[in-house]
Amino acid sequence: MDNTVNQRLQDLREVMRREHLAAFIFPSTDPHQGEYVPDHWKGREFISGFNGSAGTAVVTMDSAALWTDSRYFLAAEEQLKGTEFQLMKLKIEGTPTIAQWLNSQIVAGGSTASTEVGIDGWCSSANSVKELMADLRKEDGMTLRTNLDPLKLIWRNRPAIPENPVEIYPIEYAGETTASKITRIRKALREKHADGMLMSALDDIAWTLNLRGTDVHCNPVFVSYLLISSKDVTLYINKVKLTPEVSAYLQQEGIKVDSYENVVKGLKDYFEYNILLDPDEVNYALYQAVTREKVEEESPVKRMKTVKNATEIAGFRSAMLKDGIAMVKFLKWLDEACGQNGHQETEISVDRKLTALRSEQPLYRDISFDTIAGYGAHAAIVHYEATPETDIPLEPHGLLLLDSGAQYLDGTTDITRTIALGPLTDEEKLIYTLVLKGHIQIELCKFPSGASGTQIDILARAAMWREGLNYLHGTGHGVGTYLNVHEGPHQFRMEWKPAPLVEGMTITDEPGIYLAGRCGARTENTLLITAYKETEFGRFLQFEPLTLCPIDKRPIIRERMLQEEIDWLNDYHQTVYDQLSPHLDAGEAEWLRQACSPL
C-alpha cells in the first residue's frame, strides 16, 4: 500500500469531517489555469501520487477516484497502485462523469448525511465551477462549496509560490512593443463592448508585457495578474520578483505595479462600467469578486499571440535550425551507440545526451517539456517519462519514440521522431508507415483561410482508420514564441474546435499509433501556416514545416506510400540537407546525406 497517499487521504478526511463535506475535488490547475503549474499548486499530485499534466482527483469519506485521458492511462494505473484511487478513463464508454460517480458514492450509497462537495475556487476556472455546479444539481441536488483549500491544513512543507526574478524579453525577438500590444488589446476590447479586462493566463501576460520568467517548469512565465482599463494597466505580482531594470522598464511603459495578493482589492476598486473576463481562464474566486458588469468572452490576447509577426517567424526559423543541428548530432550518435556492436544506452541516458547537445546551441535556455523517450512497449505509453525505476536499456531492434523540444530565446521547438534501432516486426513497420502517411497528408493539405483544425484532422487518420486503428489525443497544437509549447485555441483534433486557422500561426502535426504492451510510433513537425493562392473562392493557405530533421526511412513500407507522399518526403529531406549540412562537420554531413537520400 502507498502509505504516504493513504495518510494524506486520512488527513483530508479529518478536514472534510470538520467542514461537513461529503467529497473534495482536486483539479490539475492553479489560479491561472495553466497546463503546467508551480509546485505550490500541485494539489492533485499531492493527494493522489499521480503526476501527469492532466487529471482530476475526487475523494469521498470512503472512496477515491482519478479521471485522466488516454495519454496517461498506463502511467496512472502504475502510479495509483497501492492507493485507494480507482482510475476513471475519460472518453471511454461506461466511464461515469465526476457528478455521476459522486451520486453513486454519496447519495445512492447513503454513506454520509452531507451532500456538499468542496473545490478550491482559486484553482478552478469560472466556467468549470459553473458546469460542475449544474452537473451536481442534476444528481439529486448535491451542492458545491468553493471557499476552502484543505491543502493549507494538511500539506506540511508545502512549496512556496515562486519568487524567481522576471526578465525583459528584447524587442529584437518580440518584434512588437508592449505599448503597441496594449493599444491593440484595447481596440479588441472596444469591439467586444468591454471597457477593460482581467488577464489571468501567464503566457498572455508574458507576451503582452514582453517579459519572461522561470516560475513554471519548462514554461518561461511568471506568476501574476494583469488588469487593463481604458486608462491604466496594473501588474499584480510579488514585487521581490522585479529587478531594478524590470521596475524601470515597467515604469517607462506606464505599467503600475501592485502586490499579487491585492488583485481582489484591484477588482473591487475597478471604476469602469464593465470588465471582460474569460471564464475559461479567470478562476472562480476572482470571477466572484467582480462587482461590475461582466463581459464573458474569450480573451482577445489568446488569438493575438498565436499569429506570429515577421520577427517571431524569423526567430522560429533560427530556433529550428539550431534544434535541427542538435538533433542530427544526436541521431548520428544514437546510430553508433545502439549499433550491433553492443550498447550501454538507456531511455534516460539518451534524454540526457540530447539535452546536452541542445544546450551547446546559441540562445538555448531550457527544454520546452520533459522529454518522452519510450523504447519498445514504453513507446505505447503516450506521455511516458522514464524514471530510475522504469528506465530500460535500448536494444539493437525495435522502435524508440523520442518526443522532445527546447526553449531558445528566439523560439520554442517541439519534435517527435520514431527511430528504428535495428530489425523491426511487420507490425512495427505498419504502424510507423500509417503514422507517417497521416503526418504527410496534413503537410500536403491546402485549405481556405479560416477553416478549423477539426476539418483537417481526418487527413491524419484516414489511412489508419481503414486498418481499424486510431489514437485518442489531438493531432496538433499551437506553439509559443519562447513561451508555452502548447498554445491555443487553434488545434488539430477529432472533437469540434471552431478556432480558425489563419496565416502566421504555428501548429504541430503529430499523429501516432500505440499498441499497449507492444510498441508505439509518432512523427511530429512544427508547421507555419502560410499563403497558398487566391481564387474566386477566396484565400487559400498551406503548411510549411519549420522543423528541420530527417525522418527515419528504414521502417517505411514503401508500397503503402502514395507517390505524392514519397515526393513530399524526398523534397522535405532535400530541404533538411540543404539547410543543415553547412553547419555540420564532414562526418555529420555525410550521415545526414545518407539519412536524407531519396526514398
Side-chain angles (χ1 to χ4, degrees):
M1 294 289 280
D2 188 322
N3 291 325
T4 308
V5 167
N6 292 333
Q7 181 59 53
R8 289 170 181 173
L9 288 174
Q10 203 174 313
D11 295 345
L12 171 65
R13 285 170 178 146
E14 279 300 312
V15 176
M16 287 163 56
R17 199 170 281 115
R18 285 201 306 272
E19 299 291 334
H20 306 293
L21 288 173
F24 207 90
I25 298 173
F26 297 89
S28 302
T29 47
D30 63 8
H32 304 274
Q33 308 310 305
E35 179 184 10
Y36 300 101
V37 304
D39 290 347
H40 177 81
W41 286 296
K42 289 184 177 174
R44 186 261 299 148
E45 181 179 335
F46 169 84
I47 204 67
S48 69
F50 169 64
N51 67 0
S53 68
T56 303
V58 185
V59 181
T60 71
M61 292 307 290
D62 46 25
S63 56
L66 180 126
W67 281 255
T68 193
D69 62 49
S70 64
R71 295 171 297 168
Y72 295 111
F73 288 167
L74 297 176
E77 262 170 21
E78 196 58 38
Q79 291 179 5
L80 297 177
K81 272 182 189 166
T83 74
E84 291 183 39
F85 279 93
Q86 174 188 358
L87 177 61
M88 297 290 182
K89 297 180 176 181
L90 286 169
K91 297 183 187 170
I92 298 296
E93 202 173 332
T95 300
T97 65
I98 288 171
Q100 287 166 342
W101 183 79
L102 282 171
N103 187 18
S104 72
Q105 300 297 304
I106 296 167
V107 182
S111 60
T112 173
S114 170
T115 56
E116 187 166 52
V117 176
I119 194 168
D120 181 2
W122 281 97
C123 289
S124 305
S125 73
N127 265 354
S128 66
V129 169
K130 287 192 279 187
E131 285 165 17
L132 183 58
M133 282 175 170
D135 288 347
L136 289 172
R137 265 198 305 274
K138 285 182 214 158
E139 303 292 338
D140 288 329
M142 284 187 284
T143 56
L144 190 67
R145 178 179 166 186
T146 60
N147 64 349
L148 176 69
D149 176 11
L151 298 173
K152 285 180 179 172
L153 305 170
I154 68 171
W155 193 344
R156 298 169 190 86
N157 305 313
R158 184 177 185 176
I161 297 173
E163 296 183 350
N164 305 330
V166 173
E167 61 182 31
I168 297 167
Y169 190 54
I171 192 67
E172 67 192 274
Y173 303 123
E176 183 181 8
T177 65
T178 289
S180 168
K181 290 176 179 179
I182 289 170
T183 299
R184 283 207 289 143
I185 291 167
R186 284 186 170 132
K187 180 174 183 287
L189 289 173
R190 285 195 297 275
E191 287 167 2
K192 293 175 184 283
H193 306 292
D195 300 322
M197 73 175 289
L198 176 67
M199 209 181 295
S200 179
L202 300 185
D203 55 334
D204 286 6
I205 296 167
W207 177 85
T208 301
L209 298 180
N210 286 342
L211 296 173
R212 298 293 188 269
T214 57
D215 285 354
V216 180
H217 178 54
C218 300
N219 295 347
V221 296
F222 51 93
V223 174
S224 57
Y225 296 100
L226 194 67
L227 184 60
I228 297 179
S229 71
S230 61
K231 306 269 192 310
D232 297 318
V233 181
T234 305
L235 176 66
Y236 292 91
I237 189 169
N238 182 342
K239 293 178 186 177
V240 74
K241 301 164 69 62
L242 303 179
T243 62
E245 183 192 15
V246 172
S247 293
Y249 164 79
L250 289 169
Q251 192 171 6
Q252 173 196 319
E253 293 291 336
I255 313 291
K256 296 178 177 177
V257 176
D258 202 345
S259 298
Y260 181 67
E261 297 75 22
N262 285 349
V263 64
V264 172
K265 183 179 182 302
L267 287 171
K268 294 204 182 296
D269 292 345
Y270 176 82
F271 61 89
E272 307 268 19
Y273 174 71
N274 65 22
I275 184 168
L276 184 140
L277 301 172
D278 185 331
D280 288 320
E281 283 185 1
V282 172
N283 66 58
Y284 187 72
L286 289 179
Y287 175 87
Q288 289 290 88
V290 170
T291 54
R292 300 290 176 174
E293 182 178 302
K294 300 179 181 88
V295 178
E296 296 188 37
E297 294 251 4
E298 179 185 276
S299 163
V301 181
K302 263 185 191 171
R303 296 186 189 218
M304 281 183 189
K305 76 176 188 301
T306 62
V307 179
K308 314 307 180 197
N309 60 47
T311 302
E312 290 172 316
I313 290 169
F316 262 104
R317 295 192 195 285
S318 168
M320 295 291 175
L321 179 73
K322 294 188 282 277
D323 213 54
I325 293 165
M327 283 295 299
V328 167
K329 290 174 184 285
F330 168 81
L331 291 170
K332 177 179 181 289
W333 167 85
L334 183 68
D335 264 4
E336 293 160 358
C338 295
Q340 296 291 346
N341 303 325
H343 51 87
Q344 302 297 318
E345 302 307 327
T346 71
E347 293 166 329
I348 287 178
S349 76
V350 296
D351 173 12
R352 285 188 186 133
K353 178 67 175 179
L354 178 53
T355 301
L357 288 167
R358 279 189 165 120
S359 69
E360 294 170 3
Q361 292 298 314
L363 305 184
Y364 173 85
R365 300 303 294 269
D366 197 359
I367 55 174
S368 56
F369 56 96
D370 289 315
T371 300
I372 297 163
Y375 171 62
H378 284 171
I381 305 171
V382 180
H383 271 207
Y384 170 77
E385 286 167 28
T387 66
E389 295 74 39
T390 66
D391 190 27
I392 55 174
L394 308 186
E395 299 177 15
H397 61 85
L399 295 171
L400 170 69
L401 190 157
L402 190 66
D403 188 349
S404 66
Q407 295 285 8
Y408 300 94
L409 202 55
D410 50 1
T412 300
T413 70
D414 185 1
I415 173 176
T416 308
R417 290 295 182 262
T418 304
I419 305 140
L421 301 185
L424 302 175
T425 65
D426 289 345
E427 183 175 60
E428 287 167 331
K429 290 176 184 173
L430 177 63
I431 67 163
Y432 182 94
T433 304
L434 291 172
V435 165
L436 180 58
K437 284 171 68 68
H439 174 88
I440 293 172
Q441 285 300 326
I442 291 278
E443 301 237 8
L444 287 170
C445 180
K446 311 291 188 268
F447 59 96
S449 179
S452 149
T454 305
Q455 294 164 314
I456 293 170
D457 180 86
I458 175 61
L459 295 173
R461 300 176 193 264
M464 59 181 78
W465 280 1
R466 289 188 198 112
E467 306 293 329
L469 297 164
N470 197 18
Y471 55 98
L472 298 181
H473 60 73
T475 303
H477 56 81
V479 180
T481 301
Y482 184 44
L483 263 178
N484 297 3
V485 74
H486 292 155
E487 190 172 85
H490 65 294
Q491 49 193 295
F492 297 130
R493 184 167 285 278
M494 277 201 301
E495 300 81 8
W496 174 237
K497 294 288 180 183
L501 300 177
V502 301
E503 193 175 341
M505 284 179 166
T506 52
I507 189 166
T508 63
D509 170 15
E510 48 182 312
I513 296 175
Y514 315 93
L515 304 178
R518 308 204 296 283
C519 56
R522 182 162 68 249
T523 298
E524 174 187 20
N525 280 349
T526 300
L527 316 178
L528 175 69
I529 301 178
T530 63
Y532 173 52
K533 64 164 69 169
E534 197 139 358
T535 74
E536 62 191 294
F537 296 99
R539 188 171 173 74
F540 284 74
L541 305 177
Q542 62 186 349
F543 299 113
E544 176 196 336
L546 292 170
T547 303
L548 296 169
C549 180
I551 293 168
D552 197 342
K553 303 191 301 288
R554 293 168 292 191
I556 296 172
I557 303 171
R558 198 184 192 286
E559 50 272 27
R560 286 265 184 173
M561 301 284 283
L562 301 176
Q563 189 58 46
E564 66 176 3
E565 294 163 354
I566 293 170
D567 292 345
W568 179 90
L569 186 63
N570 290 340
D571 289 346
Y572 174 69
H573 275 154
Q574 187 62 53
T575 301
V576 169
Y577 180 77
D578 292 346
Q579 295 272 329
L580 297 182
S581 57
H583 305 278
L584 303 170
D585 68 27
E588 292 157 352
E590 176 54 25
W591 180 93
L592 181 62
R593 187 188 65 76
Q594 292 181 32
C596 292
S597 61
L599 184 66

